[in-house]
Amino acid sequence: MLATSVLCLRACLALLAMPIYLLAFLGIWEPFCKKVFFPFFLEKLSAIHERKAKKHKQELFRNLPDFASPSGELKLLEIGTGCGVNFQFYPPGCRVTCTDINPNFQQGLSKSMSKNQHLRYERFLEAAGEDLHQVPSGSVDAVVCTLVLCSVRDVSAVLREVLRVLRPGGAFYFLEHVAADHSSWKYFWQHIYHPTWKLLFAGCCLTRELWRDLEDAAFSELGVRHVRVALPWTPIEPHIMGFAVK
């Protein structure tokens, strides 16, 4: 009965989004989404998310300086930098390498760079999190990933790359939306929204239990907290945050 309800409600939602499904069928939606819609949407959502998640991020990144190299320099790699909303939380003098699979965030990224001149920007790499071959092994002190693991193709492959590029003793910081508790209405609605949401928002998955992927990765230490970021009328309220040490 429950499965039938989910299928019926998914069908109703798909009917409402039929123009998008038609554009996707014609091969028009994906390039438009990548170049225009998703950068615009993400910039707007990021502004709202930042207000709601600011305290969580301040707490999350508070100990970033502890992972600086013996010389005192902190080399940081951010996966899925987007518009650069995390720059404000990084310590002064931090050397930042930005990566993103989508190069169409440059306008927002440039604005964030100009506002955060306490950082040293090394380079921008157009790269998927699953393939960071341009970054040498063991070359960074910290890797940051926020609201990215929901949309990568292979979470385990991303985490393997994180471990590869981190130096021993380096840290991986994350803040990601995840699946809600299975007994909750939030989880029920996540399953209804999932196919249409994934199409609209560049592959974003609502029902990933990312804490399990982190537990399965080969980190020597892992700290995960389940938190809520209040985003009314969206299915992405449940989050996890924390850091893991190589």
Side-chain angles (χ1 to χ4, degrees):
M1 182 65 179
L2 189 61
T4 303
S5 299
V6 169
L7 289 174
C8 289
L9 289 169
R10 278 184 176 181
C12 292
L13 190 59
L15 283 173
L16 291 174
M18 186 56 67
I20 305 298
Y21 278 91
L22 179 59
L23 290 173
F25 177 76
L26 295 173
I28 298 171
W29 175 252
E30 185 174 351
F32 173 77
C33 179
K34 183 178 179 181
K35 189 172 183 179
V36 180
F37 176 74
F38 193 59
F40 172 81
F41 168 80
L42 190 63
E43 187 171 359
K44 301 304 179 186
L45 177 64
S46 294
I48 299 170
H49 191 272
E50 278 311 296
R51 292 196 297 270
K52 303 292 186 179
K54 187 172 184 178
K55 289 184 178 179
H56 290 310
K57 286 192 175 183
Q58 287 173 334
E59 180 184 352
L60 175 64
F61 295 122
R62 184 172 51 197
N63 69 340
L64 250 178
D66 295 346
F67 292 96
S69 64
S71 66
E73 187 175 64
L74 180 67
K75 295 180 181 179
L76 184 148
L77 171 74
E78 181 163 358
I79 298 174
T81 306
C83 302
V85 294
N86 292 324
F87 292 163
Q88 60 184 301
F89 302 104
Y90 299 159
C94 178
R95 293 175 57 184
V96 181
T97 296
C98 305
T99 74
D100 205 295
I101 195 172
N102 188 343
N104 296 297
F105 295 106
Q106 290 295 338
Q107 185 176 355
L109 185 60
S110 296
K111 288 180 184 177
S112 293
M113 286 179 169
S114 64
K115 289 179 182 178
N116 294 279
Q117 296 186 13
H118 64 290
L119 305 177
R120 295 169 59 190
Y121 301 101
E122 297 290 290
R123 53 180 175 160
F124 175 87
L125 302 175
E126 185 179 340
E130 295 92 335
D131 182 11
L132 300 171
H133 69 271
Q134 299 170 79
V135 183
S137 299
S139 63
V140 298
D141 304 300
V143 176
V144 172
C145 192
T146 62
L147 301 184
V148 172
L149 295 179
C150 60
S151 57
V152 300
R153 294 183 183 277
D154 187 336
V155 177
S156 296
V158 174
L159 295 178
R160 286 195 296 271
E161 279 292 81
V162 168
L163 284 160
R164 182 186 65 79
V165 302
L166 277 174
R167 64 164 174 79
F172 173 54
Y173 287 79
F174 54 89
L175 174 66
E176 301 283 348
H177 70 81
V178 294
D181 183 274
H182 288 202
S183 63
S184 67
W185 280 106
K186 181 73 73 175
Y187 186 70
F188 173 75
W189 284 106
Q190 282 180 334
H191 270 275
I192 292 165
Y193 282 122
H194 178 73
T196 300
W197 184 276
K198 187 175 181 179
L199 174 65
L200 283 173
F201 302 119
C204 176
C205 295
L206 295 172
T207 56
R208 286 184 174 173
E209 299 180 341
L210 294 171
W211 63 91
R212 301 189 189 279
D213 297 282
L214 288 160
E215 289 167 357
D216 291 339
F219 291 104
S220 61
E221 298 177 35
L222 174 63
V224 179
R225 281 183 55 200
H226 288 256
V227 297
R228 295 194 175 276
V229 177
L231 294 167
W233 307 107
T234 75
I236 58 171
E237 181 181 349
H239 284 59
I240 58 169
M241 60 178 278
F243 68 95
V245 179
K246 178 176 175 179

